[in-house]
Amino acid sequence: MKWLISYKVISQSLDPLTVEAVNKGTMICSTMHRGFKWKMQRVNFKVDVHRVELNNYDMVLGIQWLAILDNICN
């Protein structure tokens, strides 16, 4: 994976974790990338991510990611 090399992400093997998709399909996650960085709308983010092979998406942001934003409501 080219982006792992270019961004120098630290990969860590995990005990396999089963992830269920909305369509009730399942995927196995056995890798975590620590310190993954990305930029969205001119804001930099850094978080640990679990790797799951996806056909049509680059990244899916879950509720754990939203927690790093702190309070976002008025």
Side-chain angles (χ1 to χ4, degrees):
M1 212 182 272
K2 292 180 184 176
W3 58 267
L4 290 179
I5 296 167
S6 61
Y7 290 107
K8 299 180 182 175
V9 174
I10 299 169
S11 297
Q12 175 183 351
S13 295
L14 303 171
D15 290 334
L17 171 68
T18 302
V19 178
E20 184 176 333
V22 174
N23 68 0
K24 303 298 182 193
T26 58
M27 300 166 276
I28 301 297
C29 172
S30 60
T31 306
M32 175 185 279
H33 302 302
R34 298 213 177 264
F36 183 82
K37 298 177 185 178
W38 81 95
K39 189 173 191 176
M40 183 169 46
Q41 296 182 349
R42 296 186 302 269
V43 178
N44 293 311
F45 297 92
K46 180 179 178 182
V47 69
D48 297 339
V49 296
H50 289 84
R51 180 173 175 215
V52 179
E53 293 294 330
L54 303 171
N55 291 328
N56 299 312
Y57 302 97
D58 294 326
M59 178 183 270
V60 175
L61 302 174
I63 194 70
Q64 296 86 354
W65 175 80
L66 290 173
I68 70 170
L69 296 178
D70 203 17
N71 294 330
I72 58 173
C73 297
N74 292 330

